[in-house]
Amino acid sequence: MLRFIKYTFLISILTLGGCSEKPLNSPYGSNDKSSKVFYSSFQERPKHLDPARSYSSNEYAFIAQIYEPLYQYHYLKKPYELIPLTAREMPELHYFDKDFKNTKDKNKAVYTKYILKIKKGILYQNHPAFFKINEDYIYHEISEIDLENINTLKDFKDDETRELTSDDYIYQIKRLADYKNHSPISGVMQDYILGFGEYKNKLQNLQFSNSKEKINFVRSYNIKGVRKIDKYTFSIILKKQYPQFIYWLAMPFFSPMPWEADLFYSQQGLQKKNITLNWFPVGTGPFKLTENNPNLRMILEYNKNFRGEIYPSLEDKIINKKLVSFNNSKEVPFLDKAIYSLEKEQIPRWNKFLQGYYDNSGIASDNYDQAVSLNNSGDISLNKELEDKGIHLTTATSASTYYIGFNMLDTVIGGHSERSRFLRQAISIAIDYDEYISIFTNGRGIVAQSPLPPGIFGYQDGKNNFNKTIFELQSGKIIKKNIDQAKKLLTKAGYDNGIDSQTGKPLILYFEATGAGADTYAFLNWLRKQFKKINIQLVTRVTDYNRFQEKMISGTGQIFQWGWNADYPDPENFLFLLYSKNGKVKYGGENASNYESQEFDELFLKMKNMRNSSQRGKIIKNILEIIQKDSPWIWGFHPKSFSLSHKWVENVESNLMANNTLKYKRINDEIRYKSINLWNKANFTLLYILFFIISIFIFSVILMIRKKDKEKVYD
Amino acid sequence: MIKYILKRLIYAIPILIGVNLLTFTLFFVVNSPEEVARLHLGNKRVTQEQIISWNEERGYNNPLFYNTDEKGLNAFKETIFYEKSFKLFLFEFGLSDSGRDIKYDIKQRMWPSLAIALPSLLVGLFINITFALFFVYFRSTKVDYIGVIFCVALMSISSLFYIIGGQYLISKLMHLVPISGYAHGYEAIKFLVLPVIISVLYGIGSGTRWYRSLFLEEIEKDYVKTAKSKGLSESAVLFNHVFKNALIPILTGIVVILPLLFLGSLIVESFFGIPGLGSYTIDAIQSQDFAIVRAMVFLGTILYISGLILTDISYTLVDPRVRLK
C-alpha cells in the first residue's frame, strides 16, 4: 500500500514535471539541462535595460553582461583599476588652451581631447535587426501580417551579426542627449562634452515624421566634441578638465548602440508586443538575453560571437597604455547560461538557496542569526549548517555612505553661525552609530569619519586618520567624545540642558522620515533616544517618499537621512555632494544639505581635476577638516555587503565597482549535482502518515453514516 | 432577457465612469504628476528638464480635470482625466508608465492566475461541500460541534501561516514539490500543487461554514419534512433533495466570482513566484504606475459587473420561477 502511494505520487509528479533526473522539488524544468549554468534570483524586476537609461544595480546585473563599454574594472585588483574592455588601449589625452591650441601645460588647458581606439573584429550578438538581403534590412519595416506570429525575438527566423565600429559609440552618446531616452546623465554630460547641449536642444526642437527620419538625422549630425576618426577610432572633447570622465566611459551609459537595433525596435508593432530596446538588449558582451520574462525569469546565454577574453591576474599591468596580461591559460566566460528567477519573498529565496537551487544569496536580517555568528575574537563566521554545506561567505565594504543630513538653510540647525555649528557638532557626538550598526544592520557596517568610504582615495580609517570633531585620542586609542562634551557644546550653542537661552523654551528639532514599516519606527525610537541624551526633543515626521522629496526640493525639511552609492571610485564622486553649486534647493543638485562654503568649494574645484597624489591627498584632508568642523552631516556609516555562495561556485571575488563579473564565475557541476541530490531526497514518511489519517477518517465517516442511517430507519 | 442584459450593460457605464473618476482622484490627490515622474526617473541626477519631458511624453502635462486654456468641450477634452479615461472604454489600455504594453501584459499574466484560481475553486468547492454535508448530516451532535470549532480554528489562522508552513513541510522537509517558481505548459503542474493545496486548506474553514449554513437553512423547510415522513433515509434526503435545492445559492455564489478568478491572489502569487495578475496591481501602486492601476481597476470593475450579470442569468437557469425583465 505504502509503495502504491509512493509510486503514484512519484509517477504523477515525474510525468508532470518532465521525467527529469532532478529531485522532485527542483524548480527548474526539463529544458535546463546544460551543466555550466549559474542559478540566481532577483527580487524586483529591472525597470530598464536600455544602457542610456539604466542606473541601478539590479539593472546593471543584466546589462553589464551584454553591453560592453570601452573600459572595465580589473576584477581582482584593489584599489580599483580601469583596464580596456573593447578599447585597444587606455585613452590618449590631448590638452588645448582656450583658443584651442595644443598645450602640454595642464594649468593652461581648457579642453581635453580623448582619443579612443576600439579593438577590431568585435561582433555583436546575432540579431534580426542586422539581417539583410541585398543590402535591404528585412526586419526594419515589418508588416502587420508578419507580426501576427511574433511574440518574442526568438520568433524571427533570420538574424545576423555585424562588426562593432566607432559609429556605434558615437550613436550612443547621441542617444544620451535625446530627451526621449530620459538618460539620467544627460545633464552631467551637457556640462562636459563639447556641443552636447547644443545637439540636445536642437533635437528637442525638431519634429520628425517617423523614426527612420529621426535616426537618419541623428546619424548624420556631428556633435562638435564627438568625432569619428576612422572605423575603429573616435574622439571626445571635454570643455572642462574632468579626469573622472574615464570612469563614465566604463559605465553602461557609454556602451555601443547599433543604429539598426534602434530603428528595429522603434516599430510600433513590436512595441505593442513589448519587444523594445528597453527589454531586449543588443550587445557585444559574453552573454545575450534569450528570455526576458521579468515576471518569472530572465535568462542570459553565451553569445557565440563573443571574441573571448583572458581571465585576469593580479600580475596584469598597463604598459604604454596597453593591458599586458600575465595569465593566458583561461578564457572567459566559463558559463553557458545564467538563469535568474524572480523571487519577491525572502523566505522562499533563502530556502531555495539552502536547497542548492540558487548558487548565491545575500543575507537578509531575518536569516542573519541562522547564517552568521560572531566568535570570541569578534570575527564573523558561518554557522555550522552552512559550513557543513560548504557555503562560502564573501564580505566587502560598499563604496557607499548613509548619513543624517542637516538642512543648512534651516534657521535653527543650518547656517554658518557658531551657535548652529556647535549644535550640529553636539548632535553628531550624541548619535552612536556603533549602536545603530549593531541594532539595525547586524553589525554589517563601519562608522563613517567623513563621506569617503573605504577604497576611495582620502578615506579616513578611524585609526590613523579620524574625525577630530567627533572622536579623540585617549591613551593611544581613538574613542568617541563623551556625552558631557556634547552637552558642553550644546551649552556653548546657547541650548544649555536643551533649553533655548533666547526664548527659554525647550529645543525641538524635526526629523523627516519615509516608510512606515516596523523597522522605520524602531529606528525613529532609537533616534529620539539619541537626541534625548543631550535633552533635545526630536519630533519625527513620517511621510511618504513623494512628500519627503517635496520637502527636500523646497528646503522645508530640517533633519533627514540619505545615502549615496558611488558611480566611480573617486573622492570627487562623494565630495561633490557638498559642493555649493550642487545645492538641492538652488540648483536641483545632489547636495541635499544645501551646504555652502567658499573655502570648501575652492579646494573641491582644485582637487576635482587632480590625479591621485600626495598633493591631492593633502587637499582632501583639508576639505575633510572643513566639513567635519562644519558638520553639515552626521557622517553615519558605510554598509558592508555579505554574500554567500555554494562550494561549487568558483572565482567569487568581491568587487563592488565591476558589474560585468558573470563572465568570471565558474561552476563545478559534478559537486552541485551530488550535493543537490543529497540535500533534496524526497521524504515520503509524512505522506504515508497523512494518507493513513485520511483513510481512517474516510472509513470512520462511512461507518458513522451507515450506522446513523440504520438508526434513522429503525427510529 | 436580452433587454434586461442591455439595460444592465447601460447601467454599467456610469458605474465605470464613477469608479474611474474615483481612482483617478485618489491617485492624483496623493501624487502630483511631477512626483510620479520623479519616482519613475529614479533618485540620482534627475533634472527638472527630465521631469517635464517625461510628463509631456505621457500626457501628464495637461490639467487634471479642466483646461482653462481651452474653450468649449476642449476644456474638458484636453485634460489628463479625459485623455487617460476615454480610451479605456475601447479597451485601449495603452503603455504603462514604464513603457510596456498593458494589454499584452494582462494577457500574459491572467493565465497563471487562472491556473491557480480555477483548480483551487473546484477542489475547494468539492471539499467544502463534502465537509458541510457531513456536518449537516450530524447536525447538533458532537461531530458537528467539533467540526464547527475546527472550521473556526482554520479561519482564525493567517494565510501566511499556511503558506510558510506548507512550504516548510512539503517543500523543505519532505522535498516533494518546489518551494516556488513557475513553468509554462504541463510542467506548471508541479509548481501549482502546493499553492492549490494551501489555497484549498485556507478556504476550508469559511467555505464549509458557509455551505453548512445554506444546507441547514434548506433542511428546515417543509419539503424535507415531507420527504422524511415518506420514509426516505437521512442521506437520501440530504443528497437528493437538500443538496439539489441548496445548489441555487451555491451556483450563483460561484458564478459571481468566476470572472474575478483571472485577477489572481496577491499573497499566494507573491510567495510562490507565480507570474499572475495578483501582484500586478500592487506592484503598480508601489511603483506609482497610474496607467496600470487605472487599467486594472477598470478591468476589475468590468469583471465584477459581468459576474453580477452572469449571476442573474444563472438564477433563471437554475430556478424557473425567476424571470429577468
Side-chain angles (χ1 to χ4, degrees), chain B residues 212-228:
Chain B
R212 179 181 165 274
S213 64
L214 292 180
F215 293 138
L216 281 180
E217 197 184 316
E218 207 61 35
I219 214 159
E220 297 302 323
K221 290 189 174 163
D222 290 342
Y223 72 89
V224 176
K225 285 176 192 159
T226 314
K228 278 183 184 172

Side-chain angles (χ1 to χ4, degrees), chain B residues 214-272:
Chain B
L214 292 180
F215 293 138
L216 281 180
E217 197 184 316
E218 207 61 35
I219 214 159
E220 297 302 323
K221 290 189 174 163
D222 290 342
Y223 72 89
V224 176
K225 285 176 192 159
T226 314
K228 278 183 184 172
S229 63
K230 284 184 175 176
L232 285 176
S233 71
E234 183 75 9
S235 48
V237 172
L238 206 57
F239 287 105
N240 296 337
H241 297 277
V242 173
F243 178 63
K244 273 185 186 169
N245 282 295
L247 268 182
I248 298 170
I250 293 174
L251 190 69
T252 50
I254 294 164
V255 171
V256 77
I257 59 163
L258 271 180
L260 298 172
L261 293 180
F262 288 97
L263 297 180
S265 153
L266 165 68
I267 298 177
V268 171
E269 285 179 13
S270 188
F271 266 83
F272 288 102

Side-chain angles (χ1 to χ4, degrees), chain A residues 36-49:
Chain A
K36 294 177 191 169
V37 184
F38 180 74
Y39 294 104
S40 190
S41 64
F42 60 102
Q43 205 172 345
E44 199 184 334
R45 73 172 173 83
K47 273 187 183 171
H48 309 286
L49 297 178

Side-chain angles (χ1 to χ4, degrees), chain A residues 506-710:
Chain A
L507 175 63
I508 301 172
L509 296 177
Y510 298 91
F511 182 81
E512 313 298 337
T514 56
D519 284 354
T520 307
Y521 287 109
F523 164 67
L524 295 176
N525 281 333
W526 174 84
L527 197 62
R528 273 192 288 266
K529 208 179 87 187
Q530 303 298 309
F531 277 72
K532 196 76 196 152
K533 284 185 199 166
I534 49 173
N535 296 319
I536 295 178
Q537 291 182 35
L538 183 73
V539 176
T540 54
R541 296 195 285 210
V542 182
T543 179
D544 63 41
Y545 189 70
N546 289 340
R547 294 287 92 70
F548 174 75
Q549 283 273 13
E550 211 175 271
K551 284 180 184 176
M552 298 309 295
I553 291 160
S554 60
T556 51
Q558 197 175 51
I559 308 172
F560 56 91
Q561 194 180 33
W562 210 296
W564 182 260
N565 287 317
D567 291 314
Y568 44 80
D570 191 89
E572 181 268 343
N573 195 235
F574 285 91
L575 296 175
F576 92 111
L577 298 171
L578 291 162
Y579 178 50
S580 67
K581 293 279 162 34
N582 281 326
K584 195 162 256 323
V585 174
K586 277 191 191 167
Y587 304 99
E590 300 295 338
N591 177 358
S593 278
N594 303 295
Y595 175 67
E596 281 185 14
S597 158
Q598 203 185 336
E599 208 183 347
F600 172 91
D601 285 357
E602 281 167 13
L603 287 170
F604 171 76
L605 291 174
K606 206 171 167 187
M607 174 281 301
K608 191 182 157 191
N609 294 337
M610 292 171 83
R611 301 196 178 277
N612 288 344
S613 61
S614 59
Q615 202 194 344
R616 195 183 196 211
K618 275 179 198 163
I619 296 174
I620 291 171
K621 204 178 167 196
N622 287 341
I623 288 176
L624 297 187
E625 273 170 18
I626 293 165
I627 54 175
Q628 283 162 348
K629 190 181 161 201
D630 281 345
S631 300
W633 295 0
I634 301 166
W635 302 107
F637 73 106
H638 309 298
K640 273 186 186 173
S641 78
F642 280 26
S643 67
L644 300 171
S645 47
H646 280 291
K647 59 187 169 190
W648 54 79
V649 188
E650 295 169 10
N651 300 337
V652 179
E653 300 287 337
S654 68
N655 186 325
L656 299 175
M657 293 313 298
N659 297 304
N660 58 347
T661 56
L662 185 68
K663 61 186 174 188
Y664 303 124
K665 292 205 169 77
R666 193 202 281 263
I667 296 291
N668 188 329
D669 192 54
E670 201 181 326
I671 298 176
R672 171 158 65 189
Y673 180 80
K674 279 182 189 165
S675 304
I676 287 180
N677 279 301
L678 183 71
W679 298 342
N680 295 287
K681 271 183 190 164
N683 179 355
F684 289 94
T685 321
L686 279 170
L687 198 68
Y688 300 148
I689 296 168
L690 200 69
F691 186 80
F692 182 71
I693 292 169
I694 292 171
S695 307
I696 296 279
F697 178 73
I698 293 171
F699 187 66
S700 315
V701 167
I702 293 168
L703 283 183
M704 281 160 75
I705 291 174
R706 278 190 179 172
K707 193 181 165 194
K708 200 172 176 196
D709 262 359
K710 277 179 190 170

Side-chain angles (χ1 to χ4, degrees), chain A residues 93-188:
Chain A
L93 266 64
H94 298 273
Y95 299 98
F96 301 90
D97 63 14
K98 60 181 174 34
D99 302 320
F100 229 93
K101 284 182 184 158
N102 227 318
T103 177
K104 286 188 176 168
D105 184 357
K106 281 189 194 170
N107 294 325
K108 281 186 185 171
V110 175
Y111 301 99
T112 317
K113 187 177 188 179
Y114 285 69
I115 308 249
L116 302 153
K117 296 171 186 168
I118 57 169
K119 290 171 189 164
K120 290 178 184 174
I122 294 176
L123 295 176
Y124 279 100
Q125 66 184 72
N126 275 24
H127 195 279
F130 299 125
F131 184 70
K132 282 191 289 189
I133 295 178
N134 300 329
E135 294 306 305
D136 283 333
Y137 289 97
I138 300 304
Y139 296 124
H140 283 195
E141 281 174 37
I142 312 167
S143 67
E144 289 278 323
I145 301 161
D146 290 339
L147 268 171
E148 269 174 21
N149 298 321
I150 286 170
N151 287 309
T152 72
L153 272 189
K154 281 182 186 169
D155 296 330
F156 286 94
K157 283 180 198 155
D158 309 291
D159 53 25
E160 217 169 284
T161 182
R162 84 151 163 81
E163 194 185 9
L164 172 74
T165 66
S166 55
D167 282 322
D168 302 330
Y169 283 99
I170 295 171
Y171 188 77
Q172 172 68 358
I173 294 171
K174 291 174 186 169
R175 289 187 76 242
L176 297 177
D178 188 346
Y179 67 99
K180 286 214 163 185
N181 292 326
H182 304 293
S183 177
I185 64 158
S186 76
V188 184

Side-chain angles (χ1 to χ4, degrees), chain A residues 80 108 169 194 200 268 333 354 357 383 395 413 416 463 549 621 625:
Chain A
Y80 299 111
K108 281 186 185 171
Y169 283 99
L194 186 68
K200 192 174 156 181
Q268 279 207 334
L354 291 182
Y357 294 125
N383 283 340
T395 63
I413 203 88
H416 284 277
K463 288 169 191 160
Q549 283 273 13
K621 204 178 167 196
E625 273 170 18

